[in-house]
Amino acid sequence: MKRRKSVTNSSAIQTLKKISNDTIPTISYQEAADQFLKHCRIKGLSPETVKFYDKELKQTKRGLVEVDAPLNNIRDMTTDHIESFIEYQQKIGRAVNTINARLRAGRTFFNYCHRKSYIPSNPYDGIQQLRKRHEVGATFTKRQLKRLLDAPDVTTFIGLRDLAIMLTFAHTGIRLTELTSLRLQDISFDDKGAINVQRAKNRYARRIPLTNRLRVALRAYIQERGVLHHDYLFISLENEPMGARGIQDRLKQYGKQTGVSKEVTVSPHAFRRTFCRLKVEAGINIFILQRLSGHQSLEILKRYVEIYGRDLEDAIEQGID
């Protein structure tokens, strides 16, 4: 007798499917997120990266609640839910960068869930980052930068420290998290001197030579700092390591004091952008600038070249009769 190609006992098939589905454990969004963050810490991701995932996944959860996504069983999450989440974020006025950050975090999280077999497929598959304008943020002019660097009273410990901090930002392009992690042993005065950034964002340590002014300021500051029970470079009046918030507050204070904050937001990243801009305007090779700034990709630096590079002015008259 010839074998039939399909099974006719549909009720038996449905029963088998139900039994199969019942054996698959369900997991909630929060349970999976807790497991993911634990995985990130075990994997050795930086505290800042773990904090980023934690923050964005919490914000994503709030948004998914608003679109009635199945948070009690993420196996039922679909691409439609993610698209509804994006539309909701746009409706409440979230910036493109903010939405894209949550999409990146969500995609990574659900990739982890897929690898762990919590979900049959990633609902972020097919979801693209929102298109955004490729712009360079605000930078200081040379005059604004001079006003900021001239503001600290270097006859006081706080003033000397703050000048050393601002010069480090301005003359190296270092990130805030990199600066707060600097230790005394990361500063070398041999030959011309250098800062060795050991705890870089992309995990690749780099060396940044000291400018003459920065070398003098750091040497004077370190002498006043003295020997303490820890080796963090920048400290408070209580001799404790300065955190990111404390440094940001000091920069804001100088911004108000000098009036620069009325023109440009005074922040660590504004110093970093200014560093890149001035180097490009000076004609520094983009690959050397990448080594100095620690950018993992050239894409961002190319934006500086497009806006601030002088090669177009040099080339525009060439080939003209």
Side-chain angles (χ1 to χ4, degrees):
M1 183 176 68
K2 188 175 180 181
R3 182 72 59 184
R4 289 193 296 268
K5 293 184 178 180
S6 60
V7 177
T8 58
N9 191 345
S10 59
S11 61
I13 296 300
Q14 293 302 319
T15 300
L16 287 172
K17 287 183 176 181
K18 184 177 184 303
I19 294 173
S20 176
N21 289 333
D22 288 342
T23 60
I24 299 175
T26 61
I27 187 169
S28 71
Y29 180 98
Q30 190 58 56
E31 291 170 333
D34 291 341
Q35 291 296 320
F36 170 70
L37 294 174
K38 178 181 177 182
H39 164 78
C40 290
R41 288 189 288 268
I42 293 174
K43 190 177 178 181
L45 299 187
S46 70
E48 289 77 21
T49 301
V50 176
K51 187 182 297 184
F52 163 77
Y53 283 130
D54 187 26
K55 174 188 173 185
E56 298 305 333
L57 291 179
K58 285 178 180 176
Q59 293 297 329
T60 298
K61 181 181 178 181
R62 293 191 180 102
L64 290 173
V65 168
E66 297 296 328
V67 300
D68 297 322
L71 297 179
N72 290 330
N73 183 10
I74 60 173
R75 290 187 67 83
D76 296 332
M77 197 84 70
T78 66
T79 300
D80 288 340
H81 292 115
I82 307 305
E83 291 177 342
S84 296
F85 165 76
I86 295 173
E87 290 179 330
Y88 171 73
Q89 295 289 294
Q90 293 172 322
K91 180 180 177 181
I92 62 177
R94 294 290 181 259
V96 171
N97 285 342
T98 299
I99 298 174
N100 282 341
R102 289 170 189 170
L103 292 180
R104 290 195 302 273
R107 183 185 305 278
T108 303
F109 166 56
F110 276 96
N111 275 337
Y112 165 82
C113 292
H114 186 221
R115 292 196 304 271
K116 298 288 288 187
S117 299
Y118 295 158
I119 55 177
S121 61
N122 190 337
Y124 281 78
D125 287 346
I127 299 292
Q128 302 294 325
Q129 294 270 294
L130 304 188
R131 298 186 65 179
K132 60 182 179 180
R133 293 181 179 273
H134 295 294
E135 300 175 341
V136 172
T139 61
F140 304 128
T141 64
K142 289 185 177 181
R143 287 185 178 182
Q144 290 168 337
L145 188 58
K146 185 177 187 304
R147 281 154 58 189
L148 289 169
L149 296 177
D150 287 346
D153 179 3
V154 295
T155 63
T156 67
F157 174 77
I158 290 179
L160 180 59
R161 178 204 64 194
D162 292 349
L163 174 62
I165 288 174
M166 286 197 287
L167 277 174
T168 302
F169 279 130
H171 287 200
T172 69
I174 198 171
R175 299 178 177 90
L176 175 59
T177 54
E178 295 171 341
L179 182 136
T180 56
S181 68
L182 288 176
R183 266 71 165 183
L184 288 174
Q185 58 266 31
D186 296 329
I187 311 300
S188 167
F189 294 107
D190 296 340
D191 194 13
K192 189 173 182 179
I195 292 178
N196 296 310
V197 182
Q198 303 286 359
R199 297 161 187 83
K201 179 181 178 181
N202 58 12
R203 295 175 176 268
Y204 289 96
R206 68 183 187 279
R207 180 180 65 88
I208 310 175
L210 299 178
T211 63
N212 291 332
R213 187 179 180 187
L214 179 55
R215 183 176 66 253
V216 171
L218 282 176
R219 190 187 290 275
Y221 164 72
I222 290 174
Q223 183 176 354
E224 289 296 323
R225 177 194 179 280
V227 178
L228 301 174
H229 64 283
H230 63 80
D231 58 358
Y232 279 92
L233 178 60
F234 293 112
I235 60 171
S236 67
L237 279 178
E238 291 75 28
N239 292 332
E240 295 301 322
M242 287 194 73
R245 179 62 61 85
I247 291 174
Q248 289 170 322
D249 288 344
R250 295 302 299 166
L251 296 184
K252 289 179 181 178
Q253 181 171 327
Y254 286 112
K256 292 179 181 179
Q257 177 181 326
T258 59
V260 172
S261 59
K262 295 180 181 179
E263 306 156 13
V264 180
T265 300
V266 179
S267 68
H269 211 68
F271 278 97
R272 180 169 168 81
R273 288 193 296 262
T274 302
F275 172 81
C276 293
R277 171 186 176 174
L278 295 178
K279 292 303 180 188
V280 168
E281 288 180 342
I284 301 300
N285 181 284
I286 191 172
F287 293 103
I288 293 177
L289 179 55
Q290 182 185 31
R291 291 171 59 191
L292 290 171
S293 64
H295 281 94
Q296 190 167 7
S297 168
L298 287 174
E299 289 304 312
I300 294 178
L301 293 178
K302 286 179 180 178
R303 300 175 199 172
Y304 288 90
V305 174
E306 289 294 330
I307 298 174
Y308 301 118
R310 299 300 187 190
D311 54 334
L312 296 181
E313 285 79 3
D314 296 338
I316 197 66
E317 295 291 344
Q318 297 180 20
I320 302 297
D321 294 332

